[in-house]
Each structure stands twice: as structure tokens, then as C-alpha cells.
Amino acid sequence: MQTNLADFIRDTEQGQEAEAILRSCVHCGFCNATCPTYQLLGDELDGPRGRIYLMKQMLEGQPVTAVTREHLDRCLTCRNCETTCPSGVQYGRLIDIGRELVERLSPRPTAERLLRAGLRKGLQSPALFGSLLKLGQSVRGLLPSALREHVPTSNTSASPAGGRAVQSDIQDSPDAREATATLTRHMLVLEGCVQPAMAPETNAAARRVLARLGIDLVAAPNAGCCGAIDQHLAAPDAAKTAMRRNIDAWWPHIEAGCEAIVMTASGCGSTVKEYGYHLRHDPAYAEKAALVSTLTRDLVEVLRDEDLSVLPAAPPRRIAFHPPCSLQHGQKLRGVIENILTRAGHELLPVDEAHLCCGSAGTYALLQPELSGQLRARKLSNLQARGPELIASANIGCQSHLAAASAVPVVHWISLLDC
Ligand code: SF4
Ligand code: SF4
């Protein structure tokens, strides 16, 4: 695509990166066929090709309005378009640049800015989020319906998958501490920001399963949100601060020889694998960030390389699996979890439109409730079509979003190996 960038951005690194991405787009429109918002709205400007064109206009110095911002806001950042694009257009990187620019060139009304600031603050602090969640649960019946559906009645205290009951940390009991002392391999795990309050059972199950494989999974207490929430809400400096904090928290463990940094939420994994890119110009952190990204593995990448025959046999279940966009489009890990679950004896049901987003997409469900709700209804209809006992997924955002409207329990897939 021919471009002629405006003076204000032409000679900047951002401008040059955006220009290279724009030039790689041949405007064929194949990506529209798999874009969830284009599927729903049928508007060229709510598909990737149209959004790319809007960003091109913005970078070329044409007027930027609230309409431009609205079309970019409706993008889920699901990156389905990247998977579809035959020209390798890096849409995810372009939309990050576009969102940052649109905030500057067409500032939001105060109420919207305050809402976004509140979300960034409230979601990223595990302590604050945990307190807000408890408060929300205590007055759930009084909340407006749009907010109520995001507040689960309680976090799961027993595994509906038939696995172990929740145990917040395998190292809590004396027996477990003794067992952990015999583990010879060590990996870090990210607890994250909302997962400890919403689904503490996920990391507890991951610890137990990995312990059976001889791997000790530890969390660095000072690590927190991976930075995705800030990054996707056009606050890249705050996102980089979160990334540096996590690197500092993990570094002593890396120096001590930890094998990998394990992600149990694919949304976080997708972001941490890009720390090297985001901090590439930071002289103090570039090398460390690159190493952190290299060491980062989704939980399934760890299990894929292990002998799983040592795990106790799981009671077989009929499962519909929802692969999060951050797993299949962000990390390009397609079919791996399904394969492991099948090998473990579970029946994996076919699911139509498995490539489409469920509508969760970080804060999207809160900021675009109507579109998000439509996508969830479509996703649940496909997931439940063949009568599964359980729906499994790999990201806390998708799990809680689907569970709020699902007729069958929604679990993290690791609970299906935790017997
Ligand atoms: S992003 Fe890719 S698929 Fe979409 S219009 Fe451009 S080249 Fe075609
Ligand atoms: S990231 Fe997803 S919603 Fe956004 S343009 Fe691409 S396919 Fe559409």
C-alpha cells in the first residue's frame, strides 16, 4: 500500500514501523472473512482492512475524529486477521501504534478517560481487585445487570472437572512441602492480576501436575500484571513499567537457573513473549527482556515436552474446548491442548467457528458490552451444540466471560489432568 506519512511522525521509530506494516498490506480483504467485528457489523471500517486504512489516514495527517476512535475501539485485538493474512501484516503492532496516536489526536471525553483509568488501576492490583470482587459478591443482587454478570457468585472452591478441591498453594501443607523439597527442576509461574481472586485453583492445579513430573513451580512475590491491560488501553509507558517490575522480580530466579517462566493464562503469555520487543530500546532492560521472552512458555508448551504417562488417569469427559485468541492467534499454539487432552482419555467434541473470539478480550467485555455479548452468545451456541459435560479454555478472561452465561461449567484445561 502506497503511503506518505505526515511530518509529525515520518522520522520517528513508530512512524517507520507503521509505514513498513502499511506497505506490507496489499488491500486484498481476505482478513475481513475471519474478523469477528466485521462478521457482526458488516461495515468495512469495522474490519481489519478498513481499520488499517483509517490508521493510514491518521498517519498521513488527515483529520482524526471520534468516529476513527470508535472503529479502533471496536477492534478486539484478537489477531485473527494476522492468522488469515497471506502477506504477513503485523496488525497487532499497527493497532498498538494507532491506538496510542488516536488518544493524542482525538482525546476522549473525561468520563471515558476516568473509566479507563479506573479499570487499569482496579484490575491490575491483585489486592485491590480481590477486595472489589468480594465487595461486588456481597452486593451482587443490587448491581446493575451489565455489571452483575462480571461478578461471579464466588470463585470455584471445588473443581467441577472432577479434579482436586482447591488448594491455593501446594506448598501449604507439611506433606506437600516435603514433596516439593524432592523436586529437582524449577520453574517460575506468573500469578497475574485477576486470576488469583477469580480462579486460584488454576495455578494450584498446575503446581500439582508439574510436581508429579518432578518440577517445582514457584511464584515471585513481587511480580504482578504482565502489562497487557495498560498496553491494550493505549498506556504503553505504564505497560513498560509493569514489564520492568516483573523482570526485576524474576531475575534472581533466572540467575539461579530456573528453567522456564510458565504462563497459565494465554493472554499473559502472549504479552510476556513480547517483552523483548517492547523493551528493545531500553539499555538497562533490553537484554534481560529478550531472555525473559525466550524463557516464557505457555503451560501447554511445558507439558508437550514431558512424559505424561506418569500422570494418574483422568476420568474421561466430553469436552468442548475454546482456544483463546491469545493462544491460537497470538502464540500460534493451535491444537496442542486438544491433543494432550485427547491423549489423556477425554473426548474432544468438534466446535464450529473455533477460530473466532468469545468477546472477552481483556477489558473489551466491559467497554463494548453489546458486541462482546453477541460474540459470547455465538461462541456458547457453538461450544454447547454437541452437548459437552464441560467447556475448557486456557485464559482466565475467556473462562470467566463464558462462565457468566454458560449452561455447563467452564474450567481451565489443566484441571482435567489434575486427578
Ligand atoms: S491485512 Fe492482509 S489480508 Fe487484510 S487486506 Fe491487508 S494484505 Fe489483505
Ligand atoms: S484484531 Fe480481531 S477484531 Fe481486530 S481487526 Fe483483526 S480480526 Fe478484527
Side-chain angles (χ1 to χ4, degrees):
M1 191 188 287
Q2 277 295 103
T3 55
N4 185 18
L5 263 52
D7 291 345
F8 79 95
I9 192 115
R10 183 182 299 119
D11 296 325
T12 65
E13 204 228 329
Q14 246 190 352
Q16 284 162 12
E17 183 178 19
E19 185 169 39
I21 298 171
L22 287 171
R23 283 177 187 266
S24 67
C25 174
V26 297
H27 223 55
C28 63
F30 288 167
C31 48
N32 280 352
T34 57
C35 172
T37 53
Y38 184 79
Q39 297 295 307
L40 287 184
L41 302 168
D43 181 338
E44 174 72 17
L45 296 181
D46 284 312
R49 181 172 63 180
R51 290 186 179 118
I52 288 170
Y53 198 73
L54 286 174
M55 288 186 270
K56 174 182 183 301
Q57 288 183 315
M58 184 162 56
L59 288 153
E60 290 182 336
Q62 294 185 40
V64 180
T65 66
V67 174
T68 315
R69 201 175 61 231
E70 193 177 3
H71 289 297
L72 298 193
D73 280 353
R74 286 191 196 134
C75 171
L76 296 137
T77 330
C78 67
R79 295 170 66 183
N80 203 336
C81 46
E82 285 188 19
T83 299
T84 308
C85 175
S87 304
V89 172
Q90 291 183 301
Y91 176 88
R93 298 223 161 126
L94 186 63
I95 189 82
D96 274 355
I97 296 171
R99 285 195 168 127
E100 205 184 320
L101 270 185
V102 87
E103 297 292 330
R104 276 177 18 213
L105 301 174
S106 172
R108 290 178 190 280
T110 306
E112 275 188 38
R113 276 191 280 125
L114 288 176
L115 173 61
R116 285 167 173 251
L119 285 174
R120 285 176 46 214
K121 180 94 181 147
L123 294 176
Q124 288 188 78
S125 159
L128 178 58
F129 180 77
S131 304
L132 289 172
L133 183 63
K134 279 198 185 116
L135 178 65
Q137 286 168 334
S138 67
V139 295
R140 191 171 182 276
L142 305 173
L143 296 175
S145 61
L147 186 55
R148 187 166 56 232
E149 72 163 60
H150 297 290
V151 179
T153 45
S154 65
N155 56 36
T156 324
S157 60
S159 166
R164 298 272 200 93
V166 169
Q167 182 181 331
S168 62
D169 192 324
I170 196 172
Q171 294 157 2
D172 284 349
S173 73
D175 282 355
R177 272 199 299 274
E178 196 177 315
T180 301
T182 66
L183 303 177
T184 52
R185 297 170 60 191
H186 304 281
M187 296 186 184
L188 278 163
V189 66
L190 177 65
E191 297 287 8
C193 45
V194 301
Q195 188 166 282
M198 300 281 280
E201 67 275 14
T202 297
N203 279 7
R207 284 190 174 95
R208 286 190 291 269
V209 171
L210 290 185
R212 289 188 194 104
L213 300 169
I215 300 168
D216 181 24
L217 202 54
V218 296
N222 292 332
C225 177
C226 63
I229 292 173
D230 283 326
Q231 185 66 29
H232 294 156
L233 288 177
D237 291 340
K240 287 188 183 83
T241 300
M243 294 173 194
R244 291 187 196 100
R245 180 209 53 221
N246 286 353
I247 292 170
D248 287 342
W250 290 330
W251 201 248
H253 298 266
I254 293 170
E255 287 188 316
C258 106
E259 242 183 271
I261 307 169
V262 181
M263 300 289 143
T264 55
S266 60
C268 306
S270 183
T271 299
V272 181
K273 285 182 177 181
E274 293 186 345
Y275 276 16
Y277 164 79
H278 290 297
L279 295 175
R280 67 198 182 285
H281 298 307
D282 182 329
Y285 281 87
E287 263 185 49
K288 289 180 177 179
L291 182 57
V292 161
S293 291
T294 307
L295 287 172
T296 299
R297 305 258 184 290
D298 187 88
L299 179 58
V300 76
E301 292 178 279
V302 176
L303 293 183
R304 179 178 62 182
D305 298 333
E306 300 295 324
D307 174 11
L308 302 185
S309 65
V310 300
L311 298 178
R317 299 299 191 112
R318 280 168 60 82
I319 294 160
F321 182 69
H322 165 57
C325 300
S326 46
L327 188 80
Q328 61 170 330
H329 304 304
Q331 300 185 59
K332 310 290 182 214
L333 290 169
R334 276 181 238 120
V336 191
I337 293 174
E338 294 92 320
N339 186 275
I340 285 180
L341 292 178
T342 304
R343 277 167 44 212
H346 298 293
E347 182 188 358
L348 269 283
L349 302 173
V351 178
D352 296 335
E353 297 186 335
H355 62 286
L356 283 186
C357 180
C358 67
S360 169
T363 54
Y364 193 92
L366 296 160
L367 296 170
Q368 301 284 338
E370 203 171 310
L371 285 174
S372 169
Q374 288 178 43
L375 286 168
R376 179 172 61 189
R378 184 168 171 162
K379 177 60 67 180
L380 281 173
S381 162
N382 284 320
L383 285 166
Q384 295 176 141
R386 293 174 175 88
E389 286 173 68
L390 297 167
I391 292 170
S393 194
N395 187 54
I396 180 61
C398 311
Q399 240 176 286
S400 56
H401 180 62
L402 292 171
S406 174
V408 296
V410 183
V411 299
H412 190 283
W413 66 274
I414 193 64
S415 67
L416 299 164
L417 301 183
D418 178 35
C419 301

